[in-house]
Amino acid sequence: MATIKAVRGTRDLLPPDTNLWNHVEATARSVFARYGFGEIRTPIFEATELFARGVGEETDIVSKEMYTWEDRGRAESDRGQSLTLRPENTAGVVRSYIEHGMAETGMLEKLFYIGPQFRRERPQRGRYRQFWQIGAEVLGPPWSGSDSALRDAEVLEMLATLLNELGVKGWRLALNSVGSAEDRQRYSAALRDALAPVKDKMCPDNQRRAETNPLRVLDSKDPNDQEIIDGLPKIADFLSEDSRTHFEQVKAALDACGVAYAIEPRLVRGLDYYTRTTFEFTVPDGSGLGTQNALLGGGRYDGLSEMLGGPKTPGIGFAIGEDRLILTLRAQAAEQAAKKLDAFIAPMGVAQNPGALKLAQELRHAGLSVEVGDGSFRLRKSFDAADKLARKMIIFGEDEVTSGILTVKDFSKGEQEKIAREELAAALKN
RNA sequence: GCGGCUAUAGUUCAGUGGCAGAACGCCGCUCUGUGGCAGCGGAUGUCGUGGGUUCGAACCCCACUAGCCGCCCCA
């Protein structure tokens, strides 16, 4: 009979890998807490319309990558509703913000999330159909200071701190401003005009983009088209006074904090809701990501709340590709020191099993990590198992029970000592 | 969604038309309370799935599925 396997583009995360996942998430939580972020958990599926309106009907994500189905509820109210597994989390967070009237506090909200997202793409290294994002959003009514450049810089500085604390090497921050929605509109029109006479000479992909989304032409990697692209109008020339000032303020604050960045006029992000500041953190070749070298991306989305029918709520946020972060850490890290248990108890004979379990209970209650072997194991087998799992092995046999003195082998030193049972927990902590 | 490469033991892989293999790992014994070394023995398996060619297919052909690499796009 055919065995059932994890569906394409999904995978199991197993120990010891999950240790690294937990480490990454714990570090992120710790950093976020220091910057005043609280955790939000939104549903894994939402009304399809949320993403259509928020992320943008024309984006690849919405037009061809979503897992969407029609609900079959009994109630008239939910029958036939179109639902979608979330392809990203920002729209859900903003929906929740509006729904719970968080704007009414007049305060800035700082929210972070960690969770799976779903996109139906061709799987590849660093790209899965169920993938994890660690993200955060800063949002609030305009009078909360949510549109201040200070917040952009704070978020970027926080990301630099997080990557450094995780030990990511060689990261690079690419920064750009795509301007307000109006700036973008004008720039897009200018690009279309500039491309019209020359697009026939470009590759088919770029010809298509010139029509549908001219900003994306800037991203093109096609070497033959670079000359044309270099000659296109620059976004910087289309920024309004406000947008320009805002961008300058972001840069000034980053300079003050010593966060290095590279201005990249061609950095255009694909989601429709981005305005003004956009950014991306990449890692160098050889960091385990292949061509998917974007570790995280984000930007400002001053109009998103209104697109979803909410009050004017400027915001800025980012999403880290946790799968990619893990790949990078694994590729960059020298041999990961395997986490070992504090002790392995080897009962000598099945008659000692109950007593061995009792000893394990005592040690575990004392805060130690302990595994128990089985009395049927030969001593040699116990040694083999213990050496793989634990730093020390406790021999638990008749002699030890009657004398109350336990034999403890320390694998790192290769030494063996006798320790009284009352002192065992304390001794194992060293 | 498009193109290329790949799929054999738990793992890494060899085998390119004639008995299904190696290394590591696993289990047992030498060796019933002192292992890791060594020696001996053992199990590894629908050769990704289905079909075709052939006296005979892991090997050649077709389809499918999955993985990897690139494109598109994105985290």
Side-chain angles (χ1 to χ4, degrees):
Chain A
M1 199 156 70
T3 56
I4 297 171
K5 299 191 295 183
V7 305
R8 182 165 207 200
T10 70
R11 63 213 176 114
D12 301 309
L13 305 175
L14 306 169
D17 277 7
T18 37
N19 292 333
L20 187 51
W21 285 76
N22 285 326
H23 168 67
V24 164
E25 291 171 15
T27 306
R29 287 172 189 280
S30 149
V31 170
F32 293 160
R34 275 180 263 156
Y35 287 76
F37 284 77
E39 182 173 6
I40 182 170
R41 301 191 190 194
T42 65
I44 244 165
F45 59 93
E46 300 264 7
T48 303
E49 197 190 352
L50 173 66
F51 305 115
R53 277 159 66 180
V55 177
E57 204 87 59
E58 302 306 318
T59 61
D60 279 22
I61 292 177
V62 172
S63 65
K64 57 185 200 194
E65 294 174 359
M66 296 204 301
Y67 284 97
T68 296
W69 72 97
E70 200 173 276
D71 196 25
R72 44 167 194 196
R74 279 168 193 272
E76 200 60 48
S77 57
D78 59 30
R79 186 178 306 147
Q81 184 180 16
S82 181
L83 303 177
T84 293
L85 289 178
R86 63 185 188 197
E88 59 94 63
N89 220 329
T90 300
V93 169
V94 173
R95 191 225 82 233
S96 176
Y97 177 92
I98 297 167
E99 187 167 337
H100 295 284
M102 294 188 214
E104 298 307 311
T105 65
M107 304 277 287
L108 207 56
E109 286 293 336
K110 291 174 142 183
L111 303 166
F112 78 88
Y113 59 85
I114 298 175
Q117 318 293 336
F118 306 85
R119 292 182 200 172
R120 200 183 180 290
E121 297 181 278
R122 182 88 169 243
Q124 220 179 104
R125 172 176 295 267
R127 165 183 295 168
Y128 307 98
R129 290 182 171 181
Q130 175 174 345
F131 61 104
W132 273 259
Q133 286 189 332
I134 301 175
E137 318 289 350
V138 180
L139 62 178
W143 53 87
S144 67
S146 58
D147 60 354
S148 166
L150 168 75
R151 297 304 163 196
D152 304 50
E154 183 183 36
V155 160
L156 290 165
E157 192 275 322
M158 176 170 80
L159 283 165
T161 300
L162 174 57
L163 294 184
N164 288 339
E165 285 195 18
L166 285 169
V168 175
K169 300 186 196 86
W171 58 261
R172 177 173 178 276
L173 164 57
L175 192 63
N176 192 24
S177 174
V178 295
S180 64
E182 298 77 44
D183 298 343
R184 215 159 105 160
Q185 199 90 45
R186 285 192 299 131
Y187 180 53
S188 200
L191 276 180
R192 223 181 288 262
D193 290 348
L195 284 166
V198 293
K199 69 176 190 225
D200 290 349
K201 297 182 199 136
M202 305 182 90
C203 71
D205 275 331
N206 279 333
Q207 292 187 26
R208 181 176 51 76
R209 290 171 179 146
E211 297 292 339
T212 59
N213 191 351
L215 267 67
R216 296 231 64 94
V217 174
L218 300 172
D219 262 354
S220 171
K221 291 165 197 158
D222 192 310
N224 299 319
D225 293 353
Q226 292 309 311
E227 203 176 322
I228 295 175
I229 292 167
D230 289 340
L232 293 171
K234 304 282 183 276
I235 181 77
D237 298 328
F238 288 80
L239 295 185
S240 64
E241 191 56 38
D242 276 0
S243 297
R244 200 190 318 272
T245 306
H246 190 270
F247 196 34
E248 291 308 319
Q249 288 170 342
V250 173
K251 291 190 275 188
L254 287 175
D255 291 339
C257 295
V259 176
Y261 55 88
I263 302 298
E264 227 161 85
R266 291 185 183 181
L267 177 67
V268 177
R269 305 209 56 79
L271 281 54
D272 280 2
Y273 54 62
Y274 284 119
T275 55
R276 301 210 264 191
T277 311
T278 56
F279 57 87
E280 191 171 274
F281 282 71
T282 56
V283 287
D285 289 350
S287 299
L289 291 187
T291 51
Q292 315 296 327
N293 66 346
L295 208 54
L296 70 96
R300 187 161 267 292
Y301 44 86
D302 293 342
L304 178 54
S305 173
E306 289 154 288
M307 288 160 75
L308 300 177
K312 185 167 172 53
T313 310
I316 180 164
F318 61 84
I320 302 171
E322 190 175 4
D323 307 75
R324 293 183 183 180
L325 183 54
I326 299 277
L327 283 170
T328 299
L329 289 172
R330 264 217 302 261
Q332 288 187 343
E335 198 61 23
Q336 282 269 327
K339 282 208 173 140
K340 290 206 164 185
L341 299 170
D342 293 316
F344 181 98
I345 301 171
M348 302 308 300
V350 289
Q352 306 301 335
N353 275 348
L357 191 61
K358 172 73 171 58
L359 177 61
Q361 179 189 39
E362 283 172 27
L363 297 176
R364 286 164 173 162
H365 286 185
L368 294 156
S369 56
V370 174
E371 182 57 283
V372 199
D374 190 282
S376 65
F377 291 178
R378 278 200 185 173
L379 188 59
R380 170 183 177 143
K381 181 168 168 171
S382 291
F383 268 117
D384 285 344
D387 201 5
K388 276 177 197 152
L389 290 173
R391 294 184 294 116
K392 292 177 180 175
M393 181 171 114
I394 301 161
I395 297 175
F396 188 83
E398 223 177 304
D399 296 353
E400 284 77 9
V401 172
T402 48
S403 69
I405 308 290
L406 294 154
T407 308
V408 178
K409 175 92 171 193
D410 185 328
F411 293 116
S412 59
K413 295 181 198 148
E415 289 168 3
Q416 191 163 304
E417 53 185 336
K418 301 273 189 185
I419 300 174
R421 182 158 180 161
E422 304 77 57
E423 296 157 18
L424 186 60
L428 288 174
K429 283 179 180 167
N430 299 323

